[in-house]
Amino acid sequence: MKKNIAETGIGYVILNILLAFGSFSTAYALYISSAHEDKWYPGLIFLLLLMPGKEMLSRKHQKAVIAAALAAAVIASVFVISQVGIWILNIRYSAAVFNAAIGVMAVAQLIMYAAERKSRMAAVNG
């Protein structure tokens, strides 16, 4: 069966770099904007784009990626609450936190993929 672009090494890396950039820039834009509509769509689309390459990481590294994303969501929530108060319940701020967590998830996937690739190369050469 032919692999799709997200299941090849270079495609996986490029997709995660684009997703990280898109998520972080969307989170920042939502944080500083004053718009009031359609906040969750970019984050949900980014999350759906992260799913096809899920098999590129081991189960252990997948759990580490999710833990990093959850930690990022908590840290971003604390930051937003410290800056704007309890207004995190505003859809704009919660969508910004969600997008920041998605960006951290994409970066964590890149780091874990590099670590797995390095260990596989060491096992082949060693």
Side-chain angles (χ1 to χ4, degrees), residues 36 39 86-95:
H36 296 290
K39 305 293 186 279
I86 197 65
W87 287 104
I88 192 160
L89 299 175
N90 181 334
I91 192 78
R92 179 179 82 206
Y93 297 121
S94 57

Side-chain angles (χ1 to χ4, degrees), residues 44-99:
L44 291 175
I45 291 170
F46 294 151
L47 184 62
L48 291 175
L49 289 174
L50 283 171
M51 293 302 140
K54 185 179 171 194
E55 293 80 30
M56 298 293 282
L57 299 176
S58 69
R59 195 86 162 135
K60 175 184 155 187
H61 285 147
Q62 286 177 13
K63 288 179 182 179
V65 165
I66 291 171
L70 289 175
V74 169
I75 291 168
S77 296
V78 169
F79 174 76
V80 169
I81 289 171
S82 72
Q83 297 296 313
V84 297
I86 197 65
W87 287 104
I88 192 160
L89 299 175
N90 181 334
I91 192 78
R92 179 179 82 206
Y93 297 121
S94 57
V97 168
F98 182 72
N99 278 297

Side-chain angles (χ1 to χ4, degrees), residues 26-37 39 90 92-93 96:
T26 302
Y28 179 71
L30 287 172
Y31 181 72
I32 65 169
S33 78
S34 62
H36 296 290
E37 66 276 337
K39 305 293 186 279
N90 181 334
R92 179 179 82 206
Y93 297 121

